Amino acid sequence: MEQMVVKRNGTVAPYDSNRVRIAVKKSVEATLENGAEEIIDSVVDEVDMWIKLYEGNELIPAVEQIQDEVEKSLMKQGMFETAKAYILYRSEHNRLRLEHQARMVLAAGRGEISVVKRNGEREPFKLEKVSATLARVATGTGLKDADSIIIKEWLKLTYDQMPSSQILDSLILCTTSFIEREPAFDAIAAALFREKIYKEVIGTSVSAQTLDTAYRNAFIETINSCVGVGLLDARMKDFDGAVLAAHLDLKRDALLEYMGMQTLYERYFLKTPQGKRLETPQSFWMRVAMGLALHEKDKTEKALQFYAIISSLRFIPSTPTLFHAGTHHPQLSSCYVTTIGDDLSDIFKCLGDNAQYSKWSGGLGNDWTSVRATGARIASTGVESQGVIPFLKIANDVTMAINRSGKRRGATCAYLETWHMDIEDFLDLRRNTGDERRRTHDMNTSHWIPDLFMKRVEQNAPWTLFSPEEVPDLHEMYGKAFEDRYCFYERSAAAGEIKKFRTMEARALWRKMITRLFETGHPWITFKDPCNVRSPQDHVGVIHSSNLCTEITLNTSAHETAVCNLGSVNIAAHLDSDRINDPRIKETIEIALRMLDNVVDLNFYPTQESRTANMLHRPVGLGIMGLQDALFKLRIPFDSNKALAFNNTLMEMVAYYAIGASSDLAAERGAYQTFKGSKWQRGILPPDTIALLEKERGKSIQVHGLLSKDWEALRKKVVSQGMRNSNCMAIAPTATIATIAGCYPSIEPAYKNLYVKANISGEFAIVNKYLVADLKHLGIWNDDIRNQIKFYDGSIEAIESIPKEIRALYREAFEVDPDMLLKCAAVRGSYIDQSQSINLFVRGTKGKLLDEIYRKAWEYGLKTTYYLRTLAATQVEKATLDATFGFTQMRRDNTGLEAMAAAGIKACSILDPGCESCQ
């Protein structure tokens, strides 16, 4: 597939390495530097390799980035004079471009240039037509002279015989560059993007008077034509299309911010093989709603009900559901979790299954603990096993070979229990040093830690590693039973009855785990016993691992691949002035649970094992997003006691209504097949399981939820009516659907107040819109304060002109107390029957601090953690910072990832492509 690049005018064109070669050759000829001629091919090859990093990625490199890579390559190879010549070459071409732009601005103003229409005809350029468009879309934003500001910048991109199709794209590009100064420009960019979509989908330019009819007709036409060519399920024509079209709420297109609109356009809308989009935003939401109502008796009515909450951004299903709802292959599920047996045939069967799950956009969690360790004897051949690591290398390559749904890279997480003899090699899988044949740079890894190990760390006691074929039942045990059996095996090993084992200090292994986590971002820390002790499904099996993003905790076996269907409630869309709107969120959750339950029956299952598990247990994962937005709106600092109380109120509400909704579905549709014997059937609800974990551990959980609703009434209802779903809740990362909803992802604090958004057209800076609104209210939003925020890389901690209470409210993620993040997670976790993707943000490089944080995570009863985030290695681009303010100062705490980068260590990124796989 041809790699594309973004040109300076915002258009996209194929990458041409010959252009790089010509530019470097000219620089070589300008200097005649010794040895420079020989390195031309090397520089081109390095840039080509860099370009390949974008394969399968929705981001497209820009011309300026490519030129930066050329400079880096020349410098790295010691060709300093040639690099200097290349910099001068760039500078001269930039000067020529600016002169040309100045001439074109004058020519455009005098009407001396033309545009090329889609049919190839030329017509005079009409500046007043562009001005009228901008004036129209800027109406209601409250911005004065926005149209003239944009036009002044946009004229620099115009040229004679410019294709008319590029006019909107270049206007959008110019408009996004102003969002950093004024967030209201986002609404203009979004409105321009809507115009682009309308023109492409409807086929012609439409006026405000004709849009309504054309929009609705285009929806009906798309459904009929896509069914006709086999893109959509034939049952999509069973709905009353006229009624659905009449209920499309065109005003809701304006709810989408620019990045949300652009994300839908690039990745989610149906399109022809030639790339022409077939859906508008409301058509898209209605198509998803229809796809989730195919099995309903009253299809049209239920589709309208589903449409109402997703089009208003109150709830958004996960990415696979959005991709495939209503299509010929409706793979709607987010996560697949497998257990891999200690058998060559099963290993390669599971690798094949991984390929199928990835093909259909599923994120993967693989449990590898059963595979025997390095050096263990293989009875059938009489040779020693190479252990689990070589198979993980293959799994890594399988992951990279599959481009999920043709829209994003495959993503997998491998899990291993802490007593496995290959655990130390497992720790090194993501390192940049050592034997590359034993490295998995593209696959995530995670520990599956039993409580006994954490107790041994506390006690500074020894820890014994085993090969699983000699201790096969350990993997199927947890809690006190695991502890008793593990100690039995330790005695057996001491008596010489076990051949393969090794003893080491538990704290030494723990230190190595924490060190690798800091160095490489892996393996993540997850806890086996809380997941199993608190599982509603403890009567039918064991949870052997979590999933790609550590929020799914479901049983797996050789015959069952766990599947989970996800979607998230946008908390920011459920607020009144000072509280959550209780009836509104109840309604959203009840409708959302119905949609998620429908996914189980509608889903296309890539394997029989996944179908078997989902039909038996019917788990779903209702999550939340926009927590930070809600706290901003309610004026609650993220790491305050008020935030802790809000998390309790919020999650109790979500759990109470989710469990009640699933029970009501059971009354209507019947309980899931394995309900009998479950904790639900025994009257044990998620908040009750904290006491079970305390009993199993022999120690109290200090942080947990405080109940305020009538849980006894809910308990009786569940026992009486049953549950439709074995599991109801899981909080996933929501990286992409939060962008669509225009809120902060998942349960995350604001990563930065000033950050860079990236899309197919390039990058542009964004300032926290809530902060800007507050600074405007105070009358201090100006160039000076903006420059100070940029100088401090988004932090307002040291800007004394901003009131103290505002600085507390807008602390960035690394300024929030990580202990409070854990406490909030523990409170939420009290109510969740699965888990939550919890990123930890830590300033500094002290191992003692990391040790304390992860021990607390265990002590607070958390089931899983996700990425460890340390301070970012780069700062926001300061090219627009006033030169009088300063350029070169580093942020006050130049630690974390910076230290790792200086040591040549690769670490996780806040924009890791795997983070979004579940949502």
Side-chain angles (χ1 to χ4, degrees):
M1 187 172 65
E2 201 170 30
Q3 178 59 54
M4 310 300 284
V5 298
V6 180
K7 297 169 69 175
R8 289 180 179 84
N9 64 0
T11 60
V12 178
Y15 167 67
D16 183 0
S17 62
N18 194 48
R19 289 179 176 271
V20 175
R21 184 180 300 280
I22 291 170
V24 176
K25 188 174 182 180
K26 286 184 177 181
S27 301
V28 168
E29 291 170 349
T31 63
L32 298 178
E33 185 174 12
N34 186 38
E37 186 75 34
E38 288 74 27
I39 58 90
I40 294 177
D41 288 342
S42 177
V43 172
V44 174
D45 288 345
E46 281 204 15
V47 175
D48 286 351
M49 289 296 292
W50 177 81
I51 283 287
K52 286 182 179 178
L53 296 175
Y54 284 84
E55 289 182 2
N57 196 322
E58 73 233 39
L59 300 182
I60 297 180
V63 169
E64 292 288 351
Q65 291 175 291
I66 295 171
Q67 293 182 336
D68 290 344
E69 289 303 311
V70 173
E71 284 184 23
K72 291 177 187 177
S73 180
L74 289 169
M75 298 289 284
K76 187 170 69 175
Q77 298 187 58
M79 298 290 113
F80 301 113
E81 288 300 317
T82 304
K84 179 180 177 182
Y86 183 75
I87 292 169
L88 292 173
Y89 169 86
R90 289 181 69 179
S91 178
E92 174 63 14
H93 277 70
N94 186 57
R95 184 186 67 78
L96 293 173
R97 279 194 301 273
L98 291 174
E99 288 181 358
H100 174 74
Q101 287 171 356
R103 290 194 298 270
M104 294 311 298
V105 167
L106 291 173
R110 294 193 294 260
E112 296 173 355
I113 65 174
S114 61
V115 297
V116 180
K117 299 172 67 176
R118 294 177 189 271
N119 62 6
E121 295 179 1
R122 282 200 282 171
E123 67 175 22
F125 173 81
K126 297 178 181 177
L127 187 59
E128 63 274 13
K129 190 175 180 180
V130 176
S131 298
T133 297
L134 285 172
R136 184 178 72 254
V137 299
T139 302
T141 62
L143 293 174
K144 293 182 178 179
D145 303 321
D147 51 343
S148 59
I149 292 170
I150 296 168
I151 282 181
K152 184 178 179 181
E153 188 68 23
W154 174 74
L155 283 171
K156 297 177 183 178
L157 299 179
T158 58
Y159 55 92
D160 193 25
Q161 298 184 43
M162 181 180 187
S164 61
S165 60
Q166 291 183 12
I167 292 176
L168 264 179
D169 288 337
S170 53
L171 278 172
I172 293 167
L173 182 69
C174 288
T175 305
T176 58
S177 68
F178 292 105
I179 296 175
E180 172 192 339
R181 306 183 201 177
E182 172 52 69
F185 276 97
D186 185 280
I188 298 176
L192 289 169
F193 208 97
R194 287 198 297 274
E195 300 246 339
K196 170 187 171 76
I197 293 171
Y198 298 161
K199 186 176 292 187
E200 182 172 342
V201 174
I202 295 170
T204 60
S205 296
V206 290
S207 65
Q209 292 74 30
T210 60
L211 175 63
D212 189 279
T213 300
Y215 196 117
R216 300 180 198 281
N217 289 341
F219 162 69
I220 296 174
E221 184 180 332
T222 293
I223 297 297
N224 290 334
S225 63
C226 287
V227 169
V229 299
L231 184 58
L232 290 179
D233 191 307
R235 292 173 295 175
M236 295 287 278
K237 293 185 74 172
D238 294 344
F239 294 83
D240 190 328
V243 169
L244 297 182
H247 280 81
L248 295 176
D249 190 341
L250 277 60
K251 292 180 180 178
R252 290 184 178 177
D253 280 1
L255 295 177
L256 293 163
E257 296 178 352
Y258 167 66
M259 278 297 293
M261 187 88 66
Q262 197 270 346
T263 300
L264 288 176
Y265 177 86
E266 292 298 339
R267 300 183 57 195
Y268 291 87
F269 289 166
L270 295 175
K271 56 187 175 182
T272 67
Q274 294 74 36
K276 178 182 181 294
R277 272 59 178 185
L278 301 172
E279 293 180 301
T280 58
Q282 299 312 306
S283 301
F284 165 75
W285 293 129
M286 188 63 83
R287 186 259 298 174
V288 172
M290 294 164 68
L292 294 176
L294 286 173
H295 282 182
E296 296 279 3
K297 292 179 181 178
D298 45 355
K299 290 182 175 60
T300 299
E301 180 184 335
K302 283 295 185 285
L304 290 174
Q305 193 178 61
F306 297 165
Y307 166 79
I309 69 162
I310 59 177
S311 64
S312 57
L313 309 182
R314 289 162 61 179
F315 168 83
I316 298 184
S318 66
T319 283
T321 305
L322 299 179
F323 279 167
H324 302 133
T327 65
H328 187 60
H329 282 287
Q331 197 302 103
L332 311 176
S333 295
S334 305
C335 308
Y336 293 85
V337 185
T338 68
T339 289
I340 297 168
D342 186 33
D343 174 83
L344 198 60
S345 297
D346 190 61
I347 290 171
F348 280 91
K349 179 195 180 299
C350 290
L351 291 173
D353 290 348
N354 278 1
Q356 290 298 321
Y357 299 137
S358 288
K359 174 184 177 180
W360 295 105
S361 203
L364 308 176
N366 295 152
D367 156 40
W368 289 88
T369 299
S370 293
V371 177
R372 69 190 62 198
T374 305
R377 183 176 174 79
I378 302 174
S380 60
T381 59
V383 299
E384 290 186 349
S385 170
Q386 295 298 307
V388 72
I389 303 302
F391 295 116
L392 292 175
K393 175 64 174 173
I394 298 172
N396 177 87
D397 295 341
V398 168
T399 298
M400 291 309 297
I402 308 297
N403 188 2
R404 286 182 289 165
S405 296
K407 300 178 182 180
R408 53 184 179 168
R409 292 165 57 190
T412 305
C413 184
Y415 285 78
L416 201 69
E417 284 206 48
T418 317
W419 51 262
H420 196 288
M421 278 195 69
D422 284 346
I423 192 67
E424 291 188 277
D425 288 334
F426 185 76
L427 286 168
D428 291 339
L429 283 170
R430 292 292 295 255
R431 299 195 80 186
N432 282 338
T433 57
D435 187 349
E436 279 297 306
R437 294 169 297 180
R438 299 177 69 81
R439 297 291 178 266
T440 59
H441 299 299
D442 306 299
M443 184 172 70
N444 300 311
T445 57
S446 183
H447 293 288
W448 194 238
I449 303 173
D451 278 358
L452 180 60
F453 175 75
M454 298 304 297
K455 292 177 182 178
R456 295 280 179 91
V457 171
E458 282 189 333
Q459 298 160 2
N460 196 19
W463 181 249
T464 306
L465 306 178
F466 297 102
S467 186
E469 83 282 2
E470 293 194 89
V471 291
D473 51 351
L474 281 186
H475 194 36
E476 302 299 324
M477 293 180 168
Y478 56 88
K480 189 66 168 61
F482 172 91
E483 185 170 335
D484 292 342
R485 192 63 171 166
Y486 182 88
C487 292
F488 167 78
Y489 283 131
E490 284 188 312
R491 292 192 296 271
S492 299
E497 297 170 4
I498 288 180
K499 297 175 183 178
K500 292 290 295 181
F501 70 94
R502 186 168 81 254
T503 300
M504 63 187 303
E505 293 299 319
R507 283 190 183 175
L509 180 57
W510 176 249
R511 280 195 299 271
K512 190 171 184 179
M513 291 161 66
I514 296 298
T515 300
R516 291 292 179 270
L517 184 61
F518 175 76
E519 288 177 345
T520 70
H522 293 84
W524 302 325
I525 303 295
T526 59
F527 301 108
K528 176 183 181 179
D529 288 337
C531 292
N532 277 284
V533 171
R534 298 190 60 206
S535 169
Q537 292 293 93
D538 56 346
H539 64 307
V540 290
V542 174
I543 301 169
H544 295 107
S545 72
S546 189
N547 66 316
L548 173 64
C549 304
T550 77
E551 83 279 14
I552 301 305
T553 54
L554 300 173
N555 302 344
T556 56
S557 70
H559 308 293
E560 292 186 20
T561 291
V563 185
C564 203
N565 319 300
L566 303 176
S568 296
V569 176
N570 179 6
I571 302 306
H574 293 83
L575 294 182
D576 286 336
S577 58
D578 61 347
R579 62 176 57 86
I580 302 170
N581 185 312
D582 194 296
R584 185 175 176 83
I585 200 168
K586 179 177 185 290
E587 179 190 44
T588 296
I589 289 171
E590 288 173 348
I591 297 172
L593 251 293
R594 190 179 193 93
M595 280 193 277
L596 292 176
D597 185 62
N598 285 355
V599 168
V600 177
D601 297 311
L602 293 165
N603 199 48
F604 165 80
Y605 293 97
T607 66
Q608 183 57 47
E609 290 84 356
S610 58
R611 171 178 287 277
T612 297
N614 230 24
M615 291 302 177
L616 280 174
H617 314 304
R618 309 185 66 85
V620 299
L622 181 77
I624 60 173
M625 58 185 175
L627 172 63
Q628 177 67 92
D629 299 78
L631 292 174
F632 281 152
K633 289 181 177 183
L634 296 173
R635 321 297 296 169
I636 300 174
F638 207 98
D639 55 356
S640 64
N641 286 327
K642 283 187 177 180
L644 195 63
F646 179 78
N647 273 278
N648 183 83
T649 299
L650 167 65
M651 208 63 224
E652 182 185 19
M653 194 177 287
V654 171
Y656 191 85
Y657 293 137
I659 294 168
S662 183
S663 184
D664 288 340
L665 281 173
E668 176 187 343
R669 297 175 166 179
Y672 69 93
Q673 292 182 43
T674 55
F675 172 75
K676 187 177 180 179
S678 67
K679 280 191 173 73
W680 303 114
Q681 196 263 336
R682 283 141 51 199
I684 303 172
L685 304 186
D688 306 325
T689 61
I690 296 294
L692 299 180
L693 182 59
E694 290 176 325
K695 181 179 179 181
E696 203 75 22
R697 281 186 179 177
K699 58 190 305 182
S700 65
I701 306 298
Q702 297 177 357
V703 182
H704 51 79
L706 299 175
L707 307 183
S708 62
K709 290 191 173 293
D710 189 352
W711 286 86
E712 187 56 36
L714 180 61
R715 182 177 292 106
K716 292 177 180 177
K717 177 179 178 178
V718 167
V719 172
S720 171
Q721 294 185 173
M723 289 286 285
R724 181 64 176 169
N725 315 98
S726 65
N727 298 76
C728 298
M729 292 159 283
I731 301 179
T734 77
T736 311
I737 63 169
T739 297
I740 295 170
C743 65
Y744 284 91
S746 191
I747 46 178
E748 300 284 288
Y751 183 65
K752 283 195 171 294
N753 289 315
L754 176 66
Y755 54 98
V756 173
K757 284 270 191 181
N759 63 18
I760 195 169
S761 301
E763 299 178 339
F764 56 96
I766 297 285
V767 184
N768 182 333
K769 63 185 178 183
Y770 299 102
L771 171 61
V772 172
D774 275 351
L775 296 181
K776 279 184 174 181
H777 181 71
L778 293 170
I780 57 174
W781 178 244
N782 50 43
D783 287 342
D784 178 62
I785 207 77
R786 190 161 48 243
N787 281 340
Q788 289 188 62
I789 293 172
K790 182 171 282 193
F791 176 73
Y792 288 118
D793 206 15
S795 173
I796 62 172
E797 202 175 34
I799 304 177
E800 294 185 0
S801 58
I802 296 177
K804 190 174 181 180
E805 64 273 15
I806 298 295
R807 283 182 278 159
L809 180 61
Y810 293 104
R811 289 192 184 107
E812 296 179 338
F814 293 108
E815 296 163 353
V816 173
D817 180 3
D819 182 56
M820 187 59 79
L821 287 179
L822 292 175
K823 286 179 178 177
C824 288
V827 164
R828 288 191 303 268
S830 299
Y831 303 101
I832 301 173
D833 53 20
Q834 293 198 67
S835 192
Q836 44 192 326
S837 294
I838 304 163
N839 290 321
L840 295 176
F841 301 87
V842 181
R843 288 197 201 196
T845 58
K846 293 182 180 179
K848 183 179 180 182
L849 175 60
L850 296 179
D851 168 60
E852 290 174 354
I853 288 171
Y854 281 99
R855 287 205 205 188
K856 282 182 178 179
W858 176 70
E859 291 168 0
Y860 292 166
L862 268 62
K863 297 176 181 178
T864 60
T865 65
Y866 196 26
Y867 277 106
L868 168 66
R869 311 290 195 187
T870 52
L871 280 176
T874 58
Q875 293 175 286
V876 171
E877 172 61 45
K878 295 180 174 58
T880 59
L881 185 61
D882 191 324
T884 61
F885 194 84
F887 289 96
T888 60
Q889 291 84 346
M890 295 297 291
R891 184 161 175 165
R892 297 177 303 288
D893 297 29
N894 187 27
T895 54
L897 286 179
E898 291 93 336
M900 296 156 67
I905 299 166
K906 183 179 179 181
C908 63
S909 162
I910 195 68
L911 295 176
D912 186 285
C915 292
E916 67 168 31
S917 70
C918 285
Q919 291 270 298

